[in-house]
C-alpha cells in the first residue's frame, strides 16, 4: 500500500467516477475530475501545421480554464498525482494532455489504469503504476488529426459544389454510404411472386394433426391449381422419420458492439442511450469498462460465476468457457463487459440502469452455463405418384442449459416459424389430408439498417472501433444525412388457394408490404453528398481503405508505425485530389435532377436540395425571369418525385375557403404541409393532402389544435399574458418570452401567484448565449 502520509491527487475524467473512487481511498487522497478533455484542436482554421510534421495547435477551451486552474493548484500542493482516466486511447490522450497542461513531473506523477471501479482494482492499480503510453496517445492523435483534415478539406467543397452548411467526415461518410447503398438496393429490387404450399394431415388415431410444407415453391397460378387438383385423391405416406440430437451454445460475454445490438433488440435502446447508461453503470462501479472488443473474462470473474451457477441451478448447468477475441486490433481493454460483483443479480438505480445491468448479468452468467440439448425431428411425407414431398420439422429442448437464463435475439426480419411439437408418427403410416393451402408470397427484399444492425455491419467491415460506433451513428443523424423513421408500405392483393374435401377454391386477399418502422433512412442531403463523394473521392469512401486505416491506428498504438509518417502518406494521397475536385467545373448543379418541361408554360422543371430540404423549381433564373419554388412533401424525395407530382406543388399555396370570415390557405412549408387560418398555423396530418383538403377538414384540425392548447394551459396571468404555466412532456413549467423555467418540486403549479412566478423567472440562472460557429 501507498503510505498514507503523502498528499495524493487522483484525476479522473468524470465527477461520477471521482465520487465512486473516493469511497475506496483514504483521507490522504483527493479525487478530482477534468470533465473530459481539457484541451483540443483550436476551433478556428485547420489547427494543424502540416508543413511542420503535422504539429497540432491545441488550446484549452474557455469553459475549461477554471477547471484547469483548480487542477493546477491541487497538483502543486500534492506529493503525487495519479492520472486515472479510462484505459483506452482516448483516456490515455486525456492523461497526456493533463500532464502537458499541468506541467507534471514524471517523478511525482503516475498513470494508473483499471477496467473496473472496485476497491481491489483501484488499490492494485496504485500498487502497479506506469508511465503514459505515448504510442496510444499517438494513435489517438492520428485519428483526431486525420478526421480534422478530412472534414476541413472536404466540407468547403460540399459548400461550393452543393450548398452551404454541409459537412463530411471520414468514418461518418462511410456509414452514410452503407445506408444509401442499402436504400438503392431496395429501390432496385424486383420482388418475384411464388406460392408456398402447406398441408394438414390427420394421423391414424383420428385425433392428432401434423402440419407440413411442400419441398418446392410453385410459381404460377396454373401450376398451383393443377398441383392441388392432382393431390385431391392421392395417398400420403410417412416415408421417413429422422431424429437427431443437437446442441445450442451460449453467446459469449458482451463486447461494446454486441451490447449495443442486444440492448437495441431487447430493450429498444438507441446505441447512444446504451453507451450513456453503460457509462453511468461503469462510473458507479457496477460493471467493467464498457468500451471493449475483448471476449475475455478474468479467472476471478469465472470463479464467482461458477459458484453462482452451482448455487442457483446445480452442477449439471455449469460449463466453464474462456472465449478469445477474434477481432484484429482488439483495443486495450482486457476484459469483456460484465458485472463487477457477479453475485448481484440486480442493482438500485434508474429503470434503464436496472434493465441494462440485468441484461449484462444474464449474458455473463449464461456464457459459463451448459449447452442446451435439443432434438430435431424431420418427417418426410410422400405423395403417391409424385416426386414432391411434404416436410414437417420440429425442435424440442430436452435440457434447457443456458436457455434457463438467457436467449440471444437477432436482426432477422423474416417471419419466424411457429414452434411446433410433432405428434408421434411411424414410417409407412398412411395419413389423411384434411386441408392444403397455397398462399402467394413475394421474395424478400434487403432489410433496411437499424442502429443495431449498422453497428454489426461496421464491425464486420472493420470500420471504426468500440469507442466510435455510437458517436458515428449519432453524428450522421444530427447532420441530417440519415434519419430514424418509418416507411409506409403499400397494399397489394394476393391469391390463395384451398383444397378441402376434394375441392379447390380460390380467394383474393389484401396485405400491406414494404412497411418499416424505426429504420435508418437516407435523406436527400445524404444521398446527394454520398453520390458526390463516391464520384470524386472513391478512395476515402472505400470500405477496405477505411478498415485499413483503422488497422494502421492499431499498429501505431502497438509502436509499429510512426504516426507522423503515416499522416504524411495519407495527406500526399488525399490533398491533390481535393485541389483537383475543387477546381473542376460542372455544367449542371450537383444534386439537381431535371424532370422535364411544364406543358403549359414550356418552362424547365427540376428538383434539388436546399437549406430547408428538397424543393421543386419551375423555370430558370435569367435577366427577364424569376423561377418559382415549391417544397417537396415529406413523403417524396428528389430520387422518386415525378414531373406530374412536382407540377402539382406549384398549385400551392392554395385558397381552401373561409372560416368565420378568415381565409383558409393550404401550403407546404419547411416542416411539412399546413393550413393557415387567419394568424393560426395548423399542421396537416398524414392522410390529408394540402391539394385536396376541404374547409370542413381544416375547421376540424383548427378545433383540435385549440382544444389541445387549452388542455395544455394550467394558468395564465392578466398582469402579463406572455407569462404562462403549461403542461410539458416532463411536467409543468413556466413559459415566458420563448424561454422555459423550472417550477420548484414542492410547489403547486396551479396555486402559484404572479409575484411568485416573476420571482422564479428573475432568480433563474442565466442561460449561456450560444456562439455561432464560424465556417
Amino acid at each position: 500500500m501507498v503510505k498514507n502520509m503523502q498528499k495524493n491527487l487522483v484525476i479522473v475524467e468524470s465527477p461520477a467516477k471521482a465520487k465512486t473512487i473516493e469511497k475506496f481511498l483514504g483521507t490522504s487522497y483527493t479525487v478530482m475530475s477534468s470533465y473530459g478533455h481539457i484541451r483540443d484542436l483550436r476551433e478556428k482554421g485547420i489547427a494543424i501545421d502540416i508543413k511542420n510534421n503535422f504539429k497540432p495547435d491545441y488550446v484549452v477551451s474557455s469553459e475549461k480554464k477554471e477547471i484547469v486552474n483548480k487542477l493546477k493548484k491541487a497538483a502543486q500542493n500534492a506529493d503525487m498525482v495519479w492520472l486515472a482516466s479510462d484505459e483506452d486511447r482516448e483516456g490515455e490522450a486525456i492523461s497526456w494532455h493533463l500532464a502537458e497542461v499541468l506541467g507534471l513531473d514524471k517523478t511525482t506523477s503516475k498513470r494508473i489504469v483499471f477496467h473496473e471501479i472496485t476497491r481491489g482494482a483501484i488499490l492494485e492499480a496504485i500498487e502497479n503504476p506506469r508511465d503514459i503510453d505515448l504510442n496510444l496517445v499517438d494513435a489517438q492523435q492520428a485519428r483526431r488529426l486525420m478526421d480534422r483534415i478530412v472534414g476541413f478539406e472536404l466540407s468547403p467543397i460540399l459548400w461550393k459544389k452543393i450548398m452551404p452548411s454541409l459537412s463530411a467526415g471520414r468514418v461518418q461518410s462511410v456509414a452514410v454510404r452503407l445506408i444509401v447503398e442499402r436504400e438503392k438496393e431496395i429501390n432496385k429490387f424486383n420482388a418475384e411472386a411464388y406460392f408456398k404450399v402447406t398441408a394438414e394431415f390427420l394421423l391414424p388415431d383420428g385425433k392428432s394433426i401434423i402440419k407440413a410444407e411442400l419441398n418446392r415453391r410453385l410459381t404460377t397460378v396454373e401450376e398451383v391449381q393443377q398441383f392441388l387438383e392432382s393431390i385431391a385423391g392421392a395417398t400420403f405416406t410417412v416415408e421417413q422419420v429422422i431424429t437427431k440430437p443437437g446442441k445450442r451454445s451460449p453467446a459469449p460475454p458482451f463486447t461494446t458492439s454486441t451490447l449495443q445490438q442486444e440492448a437495441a433488440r431487447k430493450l429498444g435502446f438507441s446505441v447512444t442511450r446504451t453507451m450513456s447508461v453503460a457509462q453511468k453503470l461503469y462510473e458507479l462501479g457496477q460493471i467493467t469498462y464498457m468500451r471493449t472488443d475483448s471476449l475475455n473474462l478474468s479467472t476471478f470473474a469465472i470463479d464467482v460465476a461458477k459458484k453462482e451457477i452451482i448455487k442457483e441451478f446445480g452442477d449439471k448447468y455449469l460449463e466453464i468457457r474462456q472465449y478469445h477475441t477474434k477481432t484484429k486490433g482488439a483495443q486495450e481493454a482486457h476484459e469483456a463487459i460484465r458485472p463487477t460483483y457477479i453475485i448481484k443479480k440486480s442493482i438500485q438505480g434508474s429503470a434503464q440502469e436496472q434493465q441494462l445491468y440485468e441484461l449484462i448479468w444474464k449474458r455473463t452468467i449464461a456464457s459459463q452455463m451448459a449447452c442446451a440439448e435439443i432434438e430435431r425431428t424431420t418427417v418426410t411425407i410422400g405423395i403417391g405418384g409424385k416426386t414432391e414431398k411434404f416436410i414437417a420439422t420440429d425442435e424440442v429442448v430436452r435440457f434447457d442449459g443456458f436457455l434457463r437464463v438467457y436467449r440471444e435475439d437477432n436482426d432477422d426480419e423474416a417471419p419466424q416459424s411457429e414452434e411446433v411439437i410433432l405428434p408421434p408418427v411411424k414410417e409407412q403410416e398412411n395419413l389423411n389430408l384434411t386441408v392444403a393451402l397455397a398462399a402467394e408470397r413475394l421474395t424478400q427484399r434487403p432489410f433496411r439498417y437499424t442502429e443495431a444492425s449498422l453497428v454489426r455491419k461496421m464491425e464486420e467491415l472493420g470500420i471504426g472501433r468500440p469507442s466510435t460506433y455510437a458517436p458515428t451513428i449519432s453524428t450522421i443523424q444530427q447532420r441530417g444525412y440519415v434519419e430514424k423513421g418509418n416507411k409506409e408500405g403499400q397494399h397489394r392483393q394476393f391469391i390463395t388457394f384451398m383444397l378441402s374435401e376434394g375441392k379447390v377454391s380460390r380467394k383474393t386477399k389484401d396485405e400491406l408490404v414494404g412497411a418499416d418502422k424505426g429504420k435508418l433512412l437516407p435523406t436527400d442531403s445524404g444521398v446527394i453528398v454520398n453520390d458526390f463523394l463516391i464520384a470524386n473521392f472513391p478512395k476515402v469512401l472505400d470500405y477496405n481503405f477505411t478498415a485499413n486505416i483503422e488497422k494502421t491506428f492499431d499498429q501505431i498504438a502497438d509502436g509499429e508505425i510512426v504516426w507522423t509518417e503515416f499522416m504524411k502518406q495519407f495527406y500526399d494521397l488525399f490533398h491533390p485530389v481535393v485541389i483537383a475536385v475543387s477546381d473542376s467545373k460542372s455544367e449542371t448543379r450537383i444534386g439537381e435532377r431535371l424532370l422535364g418541361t411544364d406543358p403549359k408554360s414550356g418552362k424547365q422543371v427540376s428538383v434539388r436540395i436546399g437549406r430547408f430540404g428538397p424543393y421543386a423549381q419551375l423555370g430558370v433564373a435569367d435577366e427577364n425571369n424569376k423561377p418559382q419554388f415549391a417544397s417537396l412533401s415529406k413523403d417524396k424525395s428528389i430520387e422518386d418525385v415525378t414531373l406530374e407530382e412536382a407540377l402539382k406543388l406549384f398549385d400551392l399555396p392554395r385558397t381552401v375557403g373561409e372560416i368565420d370570415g378568415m381565409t383558409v390557405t393550404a401550403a407546404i412549408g419547411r416542416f411539412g404541409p399546413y393550413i393557415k387560418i387567419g394568424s393560426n398555423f395548423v399542421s396537416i396530418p398524414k392522410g390529408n393532402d394540402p391539394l385536396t383538403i376541404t374547409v370542413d377538414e381544416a375547421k376540424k384540425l383548427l378545433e383540435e389544435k385549440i382544444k389541445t392548447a387549452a388542455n395544455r394551459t394550467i394558468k395564465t396571468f392578466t398582469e402579463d399574458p406572455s407569462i404562462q404555466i403549461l403542461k410539458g412532456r416532463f411536467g409543468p413549467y413556466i413559459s415566458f418570452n420563448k424561454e422555459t423555467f423550472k417550477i420548484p418540486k414542492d410547489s403547486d403549479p396551479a396555486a402559484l401567484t404572479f409575484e411568485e412566478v416573476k420571482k422564479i423567472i428573475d432568480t433563474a440562472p442565466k442561460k449561456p448565449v450560444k456562439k455561432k460557429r464560424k465556417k
Side-chain angles (χ1 to χ4, degrees):
M1 274 292 296
V2 177
K3 291 180 181 179
N4 287 337
M5 296 294 289
Q6 289 181 311
K7 291 180 183 175
N8 295 277
L9 172 64
V10 180
I11 303 177
V12 296
E13 63 274 75
S14 81
K17 187 175 174 181
K19 192 175 179 182
T20 305
I21 290 174
E22 211 161 25
K23 297 177 194 172
F24 305 133
L25 300 173
T27 54
S28 62
Y29 287 83
T30 301
V31 187
M32 295 180 70
S33 169
S34 68
Y35 292 83
H37 278 280
I38 58 167
R39 69 174 183 176
D40 195 5
L41 293 173
R42 186 182 297 279
E43 281 194 15
K44 189 176 180 181
I46 193 169
I48 301 166
D49 189 348
I50 291 166
K51 293 180 180 178
N52 190 14
N53 211 21
F54 295 87
K55 184 180 179 182
D57 182 10
Y58 290 122
V59 293
V60 176
S61 59
S62 56
E63 61 266 23
K64 289 295 178 75
K65 286 182 178 177
E66 185 180 348
I67 293 167
V68 168
N69 289 336
K70 287 180 179 178
L71 290 173
K72 272 185 178 177
K73 188 175 180 182
Q76 288 167 359
N77 293 327
D79 297 320
M80 179 63 71
V81 178
W82 306 89
L83 299 171
S85 50
D86 290 341
E87 60 178 338
D88 58 8
R89 296 170 194 171
E90 208 67 36
E92 204 71 21
I94 289 173
S95 284
W96 177 73
H97 283 295
L98 283 166
E100 292 284 307
V101 174
L102 303 182
L104 300 180
D105 191 313
K106 281 188 176 182
T107 58
T108 55
S109 64
K110 296 291 181 185
R111 172 81 169 110
I112 55 173
V113 293
F114 37 84
H115 62 267
E116 60 181 53
I117 304 177
T118 59
R119 182 185 299 276
I122 302 302
L123 296 179
E124 184 182 346
I126 289 174
E127 289 292 332
N128 299 280
R130 63 168 172 80
D131 293 331
I132 291 170
D133 189 332
L134 294 179
N135 291 330
L136 298 184
V137 175
D138 289 345
Q140 189 274 344
Q141 286 196 104
R143 180 189 293 278
R144 182 73 185 93
L145 269 62
M146 182 175 288
D147 289 347
R148 170 60 71 92
I149 288 170
V150 171
F152 187 83
E153 299 214 342
L154 285 188
S155 296
I157 294 178
L158 298 180
W159 307 340
K160 180 180 176 181
K161 301 288 184 179
I162 303 175
M163 72 171 190
S165 78
L166 294 174
S167 60
R170 184 180 58 83
V171 178
Q172 294 94 321
S173 297
V174 178
V176 172
R177 179 184 177 182
L178 282 168
I179 295 163
V180 171
E181 287 185 345
R182 177 56 55 87
E183 196 67 24
K184 288 181 177 181
E185 281 179 50
I186 292 169
N187 292 337
K188 289 177 183 177
F189 182 76
N190 290 318
E192 295 179 2
Y194 67 93
F195 286 86
K196 175 183 174 182
V197 182
T198 58
E200 292 184 7
F201 299 94
L202 185 66
L203 269 63
D205 64 7
K207 297 177 183 179
S208 304
I209 294 288
I210 185 169
K211 296 180 180 180
E213 183 178 333
L214 193 68
N215 63 352
R216 79 177 182 92
R217 292 176 173 180
L218 307 181
T219 55
T220 66
V221 169
E222 293 76 19
E223 191 179 14
V224 174
Q225 182 87 33
Q226 185 181 5
F227 176 78
L228 292 179
E229 288 174 353
S230 70
I231 67 169
T235 302
F236 299 92
T237 307
V238 177
E239 293 184 348
Q240 193 177 48
V241 179
I242 298 175
T243 301
K244 291 182 179 179
K247 285 190 176 183
R248 194 179 297 167
S249 300
F254 280 129
T255 62
T256 301
S257 71
T258 54
L259 177 64
Q260 290 169 346
Q261 292 168 53
E262 197 73 342
R265 300 182 196 116
K266 286 189 181 296
L267 307 178
F269 287 7
S270 68
V271 292
T272 303
R273 170 58 59 190
T274 298
M275 293 312 293
S276 173
V277 177
Q279 177 94 30
K280 187 79 181 291
L281 290 173
Y282 167 68
E283 290 175 346
L284 291 172
Q286 303 288 13
I287 63 170
T288 53
Y289 192 54
M290 67 287 156
R291 282 188 278 273
T292 175
D293 41 20
S294 171
L295 298 173
N296 181 49
L297 289 178
S298 66
T299 304
F300 172 76
I302 291 174
D303 286 343
V304 177
K306 175 183 174 181
K307 291 174 186 175
E308 277 298 297
I309 293 165
I310 293 172
K311 184 179 79 173
E312 290 289 326
F313 311 111
D315 289 338
K316 67 178 181 177
Y317 279 89
L318 179 68
E319 187 176 331
I320 297 299
R321 297 176 187 82
Q322 186 60 272
Y323 298 90
H324 298 288
T325 306
K326 294 178 182 178
T327 307
K328 175 73 177 80
Q331 280 209 28
E332 298 72 42
H334 301 300
E335 202 169 353
I337 302 168
R338 63 163 175 84
T340 50
Y341 303 102
I342 295 175
I343 57 172
K344 288 168 63 177
K345 288 185 184 178
S346 59
I347 58 164
Q348 297 294 316
S350 70
Q352 290 182 335
E353 288 166 11
Q354 290 178 22
Q355 286 176 309
L356 194 64
Y357 179 86
E358 184 181 348
L359 190 68
I360 294 167
W361 185 89
K362 285 181 176 179
R363 178 89 164 213
T364 305
I365 287 289
S367 73
Q368 302 304 314
M369 292 179 71
C371 293
E373 295 175 10
I374 57 178
E375 190 176 84
R376 297 186 182 96
T377 302
T378 303
V379 177
T380 304
I381 301 168
I383 308 167
K386 288 191 171 292
T387 56
E388 292 93 347
K389 313 287 182 188
F390 278 102
I391 308 295
T393 60
D394 79 350
E395 187 174 279
V396 178
V397 176
R398 296 300 181 194
F399 171 63
D400 55 4
F402 75 92
L403 293 176
R404 188 158 178 183
V405 172
Y406 185 84
R407 188 186 297 265
E408 187 179 27
D409 285 356
N410 60 53
D411 291 315
D412 187 4
E413 297 180 22
Q416 299 296 307
S417 56
E418 295 179 21
E419 288 190 8
V420 292
I421 298 176
L422 296 176
V425 290
K426 296 177 182 177
E427 291 183 0
Q428 303 309 314
E429 274 187 334
N430 287 334
L431 308 178
N432 290 323
L433 175 69
T434 58
V435 65
L437 298 170
E440 187 183 18
R441 288 283 164 257
L442 295 175
T443 50
Q444 184 67 57
R445 61 165 173 75
F447 300 129
R448 289 187 173 93
Y449 287 110
T450 60
E451 288 193 354
S453 59
L454 183 62
V455 167
R456 186 177 65 184
K457 187 66 178 178
M458 290 172 67
E459 186 178 38
E460 282 175 9
L461 294 173
I463 299 168
R465 286 294 181 263
S467 60
T468 65
Y469 299 137
T472 298
I473 292 173
S474 175
T475 299
I476 61 178
Q477 292 179 72
Q478 289 170 0
R479 289 180 176 173
Y481 293 152
V482 171
E483 59 187 14
K484 192 192 294 185
N486 306 329
K487 271 282 184 181
E488 292 184 2
Q490 294 179 327
H491 284 275
R492 79 162 192 118
Q493 290 188 326
F494 68 100
I495 301 167
T496 62
F497 289 88
M498 182 170 72
L499 169 62
S500 180
E501 297 180 353
K503 293 181 180 179
V504 178
S505 59
R506 170 176 168 169
K507 285 185 180 180
T508 301
K509 297 183 178 181
D510 186 81
E511 69 176 351
L512 184 68
V513 295
D516 264 331
K517 189 176 181 181
K519 300 298 172 62
L520 296 176
L521 308 169
T523 63
D524 282 312
S525 298
V527 173
I528 290 167
V529 170
N530 175 75
D531 291 351
F532 173 78
L533 292 176
I534 286 178
N536 294 281
F537 299 93
K539 194 81 172 175
V540 176
L541 265 73
D542 180 76
Y543 298 133
N544 290 330
F545 178 74
T546 306
N548 287 332
I549 284 179
E550 292 294 344
K551 290 176 183 176
T552 306
F553 291 152
D554 295 338
Q555 290 174 303
I556 294 169
D558 292 337
E560 297 171 10
I561 291 177
V562 178
W563 75 277
T564 50
E565 291 177 5
F566 168 63
M567 290 298 297
K568 186 176 187 308
Q569 290 172 7
F570 171 79
Y571 192 75
D572 289 346
L573 175 76
F574 174 68
H575 186 66
V577 182
V578 171
I579 298 299
V581 174
S582 182
D583 292 342
S584 66
K585 292 183 179 179
S586 175
E587 293 182 7
T588 59
R589 183 173 172 180
I590 293 165
E592 181 180 32
R593 179 173 162 239
L594 300 179
L595 299 181
T597 305
D598 176 15
K600 293 180 182 177
S601 64
K603 293 180 178 179
Q604 174 185 290
V605 182
S606 61
V607 283
R608 58 179 63 177
I609 194 73
R611 184 181 174 191
F612 300 119
Y615 66 91
Q617 179 174 318
L618 177 61
V620 293
D622 55 35
E623 292 181 2
N624 302 315
N625 297 295
K626 187 178 180 182
Q628 289 177 261
F629 305 101
S631 296
L632 265 60
S633 56
K634 289 282 184 183
D635 61 337
K636 291 296 173 186
S637 71
I638 289 175
E639 295 277 308
D640 61 21
V641 69
T642 64
L643 174 63
E644 292 72 22
E645 289 168 336
L647 285 171
K648 284 182 181 178
L649 297 172
F650 294 103
D651 293 337
L652 300 172
R654 161 183 162 259
T655 301
V656 179
E658 286 190 359
I659 296 175
D660 298 332
M662 295 181 290
T663 301
V664 180
T665 307
I668 295 177
R670 180 183 175 187
F671 302 108
Y674 67 91
I675 51 170
K676 183 185 177 189
I677 307 169
S679 59
N680 286 299
F681 292 84
V682 185
S683 294
I684 298 176
K686 285 182 180 179
N688 293 93
D689 189 333
L691 291 164
T692 59
I693 194 168
T694 64
V695 172
D696 290 339
E697 289 170 334
K699 187 175 182 180
K700 188 179 178 182
L701 291 175
L702 177 62
E703 288 169 351
E704 287 173 356
K705 181 178 179 180
I706 292 169
K707 185 179 177 182
T708 302
N711 291 336
R712 184 169 167 250
T713 304
I714 297 174
K715 193 170 186 178
T716 58
F717 300 92
T718 54
E719 296 94 332
D720 188 344
S722 64
I723 297 178
Q724 296 177 297
I725 301 177
L726 303 174
K727 292 177 185 174
R729 183 181 173 191
F730 303 107
Y733 67 94
I734 298 166
S735 173
F736 175 59
N737 282 350
K738 295 183 179 180
E739 286 191 63
T740 59
F741 301 86
K742 287 183 180 179
I743 294 173
K745 287 183 180 180
D746 56 350
S747 300
D748 178 2
L752 288 172
T753 64
F754 177 71
E755 288 73 21
E756 289 171 332
V757 170
K758 280 287 289 176
K759 186 178 180 182
I760 292 171
I761 293 170
D762 293 340
T763 57
K766 298 295 179 186
K767 294 179 181 177
V769 179
K770 289 184 179 179
K771 294 180 181 179
K772 287 187 177 180
R773 190 172 177 180
K774 292 182 180 179
K775 298 294 182 185

